[in-house]
Amino acid sequence: MGLDIRIPIGLMFSVIGLIITLFGLFTNSDAEMYAKSLSININLWMGLLMLAFGGLMLFFARKRKVK
Amino acid sequence: MDLKFELGWIDYAIMLVYFVFVLGIGWALKKYMKNASAFLEAGRSMPAWVAGLAFISTNLGALEVMGMTGSGAKYGMLTTHFYWIGAIPAMIFLALFMMPFYYGSKARSVPEYLKLRYDEKTRGLNAILFAVMTILASGISMYALALLMETVLGWNFHLSLILSAVIVLGYTYLGGLSSAIYNEVLQFFIIVIGLLPIVFLSLKQVGGWSGLEHSLGSIVSDKGYAADTFTTTWKYTGNAKANPLGVEWYGIAAGLGFVLSFGYWCTNFLIVQRAMAAESINAARKTPLIGAIPKMFIPFLIIVPGIVALVLMNDPSTGFSIMVNGKANYDLTIIMLLKQYLPMGVLGLGITALLASFMSGMAGNVSAFNTVWTYDIYQSYIRPATGDKESDEKHYLKVGRLATIFGVVVSIAAAYLAGLFGNIMDFLQTIFSMINAPLFAVIFLGMFWKRTTGHAAFTGLLAGFLIALLHHGLTVPEGATTLVKGGWIGVIHTYPVEMAQNFWTAIFAFTTSTVVTVILSMLTKKVKTDEELVGLVYSMTPRTSVVVKQWYNRPVVLASIVGIICIVLSIIFW
């Protein structure tokens, strides 16, 4: 089946990662909101993690294509 | 206490992105769905890593995630027996010893393997039972999810039921098994990443693993167990009364580690189908082994937060509770943890992870159902192949698609049925353990003993099931209030816990099935010739040594690595 699943996975995590990272940046000063997550800006960290994961997936998909 | 919580626009936006990608994958695969084998068998084209992650993702359904987090709170680290001893040995056995015959026989389903190895009636019995049970299971998990969404998110029950069913139908109808498998890979990653924040935050709050051990001490002692019972696995299994599972080590090893897990992992077509869709025999053998690697670590994702939840429940200052109308509902544990720790944003991601686990389980059921329906029931009994391969393939593609719609519609009906009879889930799980254990006995004997005959296998299946039924009718777990739990004939034995009863039901069923099949095989005439058994039976199949260049691609090497990691984990958490 001619679909490299890494591409949709990479794209999806990049999009969601970007949304959550930006949201984390905008809400960074909202101490009340992050009281729940033990005063950690969990949105920012998870957003960055997902961007990295999405990027990695896209990188591997591209690497295979070039080959 | 108020269980409900609100989601923000951003949480819905994340869910929406997920839905778009899930349906998009189905849409992208639509153009490849030209014949029945592409739709129902994914054209046997999946790379091992894709099939392997799908293999484990199908198993990681919503009931599993909700149930196992709850079990973490109830039984502590003892729950990992369902993941280590209760899965890994069976997965290794499936990969090394059974996949060559499932895949190499060119059977398109587990019932079809029974037809090739034995006869039509054995296949028919298995196919019909499997089709009915699969659809019921899918309906019940839909019901559980919709109920959860209603209680916690305040979503309309009917709306969330229909909406999730329509999305699963959408992508399985468009892209068939390939779409289910590709989506399972995507869902696997979203489940892991979506639940990651609660693992991290909950452990941080109690001060890491050693903090958890410390906080649990007095809580567990109050329950009447040794202080470290909930953070160890085998240490207190010398005596059934010393651990919350209520089973000794040999009961765990024989019941869970052998009969139940081999019955599930090695014969359940829902699972085996993922490996059968792999691109080569080597990939098919690697599939369960690649799946075994994440499987071993899933306890840290879903069981450990459940154990932390037990600490939170016992500390009123946290405000954490899973009480509904004065009764603890352990199925709520995971979602209440999401509520406890996650602010808007990652909260949407966590809810999406739960939706993804639900969808991977349901799509697995639907894609296994339509294959068994089309090949083992429709093609066998209603409209056999005409011989014109091209028009047959087109016809069965159409039937497979219709079966997909039919399966989803009946699942929805089953979901409402589950709402009417609260006990249906216990009932179904009980029946499953009665069917799977005899099935494993029969397939195992068929694969490794060429003398086994069709009449013997068929009778063995029935006998095992009847004995299981009888055992269930004559025994009850302590404190049972309904006949669904057993004892509907009369009570001759009372088990301390339900788990022990389940284990023993399966052990009786397996033993009976084995004994009956062996004795009858010797008494009945061997119908299949040796030539017919080539590729189906171990001793009749020539060893083809496929030369695999890279050492890490060899199934035996992978299996050893998986086995070693599993042993090391068991020792660390002994």
Side-chain angles (χ1 to χ4, degrees):
Chain A
M1 257 4 84
L3 174 76
D4 186 346
I5 187 61
R6 284 172 287 202
I7 295 171
I9 292 178
L11 284 174
M12 188 186 85
F13 279 100
S14 304
V15 172
I16 298 183
L18 190 68
I19 296 177
I20 295 190
T21 308
L22 289 177
F23 186 68
L25 285 174
F26 281 120
T27 53
N28 198 26
S29 54
D30 192 341
E32 198 190 335
M33 179 174 158
Y34 291 111
K36 266 182 160 185
S37 53
L38 317 174
S39 302
I40 296 168
N41 187 340
I42 192 80
N43 279 324
L44 186 61
W45 288 109
M46 285 307 293
L48 290 174
L49 178 78
M50 279 190 278
L51 275 177
F53 177 72
L56 205 67
M57 279 281 153
L58 289 175
F59 171 75
F60 281 124
R62 205 185 144 76
K63 205 173 135 193
R64 192 186 110 179
K65 215 174 179 181
V66 171
K67 243 198 245 168
Chain B
M1 91 152 264
D2 186 21
L3 293 169
K4 287 211 169 66
F5 56 104
E6 295 286 314
L7 294 179
W9 60 270
I10 187 147
D11 301 315
Y12 288 107
I14 292 164
M15 272 178 242
L16 194 68
V17 173
Y18 165 73
F19 291 152
V20 167
F21 272 91
V22 168
L23 289 171
I25 289 174
W27 186 256
L29 289 166
K30 189 173 159 253
K31 61 173 185 276
Y32 300 106
M33 298 300 125
K34 292 210 170 70
N35 51 44
S37 63
F39 188 77
L40 297 170
E41 299 166 73
R44 291 202 164 194
S45 63
M46 294 292 153
W49 74 273
V50 171
L53 290 180
F55 185 91
I56 217 58
S57 190
T58 316
N59 170 252
L60 199 56
L63 291 180
E64 170 93 4
V65 173
M66 283 156 53
M68 286 300 167
T69 312
S71 295
K74 267 194 273 186
Y75 310 120
M77 280 305 272
L78 283 141
T79 313
T80 57
H81 289 312
F82 288 89
Y83 286 79
W84 298 340
I85 183 99
I88 303 303
M91 290 165 93
I92 291 178
F93 187 80
L94 171 69
L96 295 185
F97 299 104
M98 296 178 82
M99 268 339 284
F101 305 103
Y102 278 141
Y103 194 91
S105 67
K106 299 272 185 294
R108 297 166 297 182
S109 66
V110 169
E112 193 164 65
Y113 175 82
L114 288 173
K115 151 81 182 161
L116 295 173
R117 174 62 186 84
Y118 295 124
D119 50 23
E120 191 57 62
K121 61 179 181 298
T122 313
R123 178 243 288 266
L125 177 68
N126 179 238
I128 290 164
L129 278 176
F130 180 82
V132 173
M133 302 293 290
T134 307
I135 285 306
L136 282 177
S138 142
I140 285 163
S141 75
M142 280 174 78
Y143 168 75
L145 182 95
L147 195 66
L148 187 74
M149 293 305 172
E150 188 185 37
T151 340
V152 183
L153 298 177
W155 291 358
N156 181 292
F157 177 85
H158 310 282
L159 187 75
S160 44
L161 193 103
I162 306 289
L163 184 74
S164 48
V166 166
I167 291 175
V168 172
L169 174 62
Y171 71 77
T172 44
Y173 182 86
L174 285 169
L177 180 62
S178 324
S179 178
I181 289 181
Y182 279 138
N183 269 310
E184 279 153 9
V185 177
L186 179 113
Q187 283 149 354
F188 170 78
F189 287 116
I190 200 112
I191 296 167
V192 173
I193 293 180
L195 298 181
L196 215 52
I198 59 164
V199 181
F200 172 72
L201 292 171
S202 66
L203 270 180
K204 185 172 186 326
Q205 188 174 22
V206 293
W209 183 256
S210 58
L212 179 63
E213 284 178 315
H214 179 76
S215 329
L216 275 173
S218 61
I219 299 168
V220 176
S221 306
D222 284 348
K223 289 179 187 275
Y225 301 114
D228 57 347
T229 312
F230 276 46
T231 46
T232 54
T233 55
W234 290 102
K235 196 172 173 186
Y236 294 101
T237 53
N239 178 350
K241 289 201 174 59
N243 70 73
L245 282 183
V247 186
E248 296 92 346
W249 63 269
Y250 51 85
I252 294 174
L256 191 56
F258 181 58
V259 185
L260 284 180
S261 74
F262 280 68
Y264 177 79
W265 293 100
C266 303
T267 65
N268 194 335
F269 179 53
L270 178 68
I271 300 292
V272 177
Q273 187 181 30
R274 268 70 200 151
M276 283 173 146
E279 63 192 354
S280 67
I281 188 145
N282 197 54
R285 294 180 76 195
K286 273 159 54 191
T287 298
L289 299 170
I290 291 172
I293 296 170
K295 180 77 184 172
M296 287 186 283
F297 294 97
I298 287 172
F300 300 108
L301 192 70
I302 60 182
I303 297 174
V304 170
I307 306 178
V308 179
L310 179 64
V311 175
L312 302 182
M313 282 171 219
N314 284 281
D315 180 356
S317 72
T318 61
F320 183 88
S321 168
I322 54 165
M323 304 298 274
V324 183
N325 304 328
K327 247 182 88 188
N329 181 349
Y330 283 94
D331 282 348
L332 288 178
T333 312
I334 183 88
I335 202 155
M336 295 320 282
L337 282 166
L338 294 179
K339 181 189 174 183
Q340 181 81 10
Y341 289 112
L342 303 186
M344 238 164 89
V346 279
L347 180 60
L349 189 67
I351 302 287
T352 308
L354 277 188
L355 287 173
S357 76
F358 161 76
M359 288 184 181
S360 69
M362 180 173 173
N365 282 315
V366 171
S367 57
F369 167 81
N370 62 18
T371 306
V372 167
W373 164 261
T374 308
Y375 288 146
D376 295 302
I377 298 174
Y378 184 79
Q379 188 177 9
S380 306
Y381 302 108
I382 300 173
R383 182 191 174 278
T386 54
D388 177 357
K389 206 166 181 308
E390 203 169 313
S391 77
D392 275 349
E393 279 283 330
K394 286 226 154 51
H395 180 76
Y396 293 127
L397 170 64
K398 208 158 73 188
V399 173
R401 283 221 150 109
L402 288 175
T404 309
I405 301 181
F406 176 77
V408 170
V409 171
V410 180
S411 297
I412 296 176
Y416 281 100
L417 201 69
L420 290 177
F421 306 101
N423 276 324
I424 195 167
M425 190 147 94
D426 291 330
F427 174 71
L428 198 75
Q429 272 168 350
T430 309
I431 300 278
F432 253 128
S433 68
M434 293 177 181
I435 293 176
N436 282 345
L439 183 60
F440 176 66
V442 163
I443 292 183
F444 179 79
L445 285 171
M447 266 182 196
F448 297 99
W449 191 37
K450 67 171 183 173
R451 187 68 186 77
T452 324
T453 65
H455 292 318
F458 183 79
T459 323
L461 273 184
L462 277 183
F465 180 64
L466 290 177
I467 284 291
L469 216 54
L470 189 69
H471 177 261
H472 186 256
L474 290 171
T475 59
V476 283
E478 217 166 86
T481 46
T482 71
L483 292 180
V484 175
K485 304 265 183 210
W488 37 270
I489 301 174
V491 179
I492 57 168
H493 184 78
T494 305
Y495 287 105
V497 286
E498 206 178 329
M499 194 91 68
Q501 185 197 22
N502 283 341
F503 285 10
W504 285 105
T505 302
I507 292 171
F508 273 110
F510 174 80
T511 314
T512 309
S513 208
T514 308
V515 171
V516 169
T517 310
V518 168
I519 293 176
L520 285 183
S521 289
M522 305 218 263
L523 296 178
T524 47
K525 209 170 134 257
K526 183 164 167 270
V527 184
K528 298 251 172 185
T529 63
D530 283 0
E531 287 73 47
E532 285 175 308
L533 295 179
V534 173
L536 297 166
V537 180
Y538 188 78
S539 60
M540 290 291 106
T541 309
R543 264 354 121 254
T544 45
S545 48
V546 188
V547 183
V548 184
K549 273 201 195 117
Q550 305 93 333
W551 61 269
Y552 54 83
N553 274 333
R554 292 191 191 122
V556 177
V557 175
L558 262 176
S560 314
I561 296 173
V562 168
I564 291 169
I565 301 177
C566 185
I567 292 169
V568 169
L569 282 172
S570 302
I571 293 172
I572 295 175
F573 293 95
W574 189 266

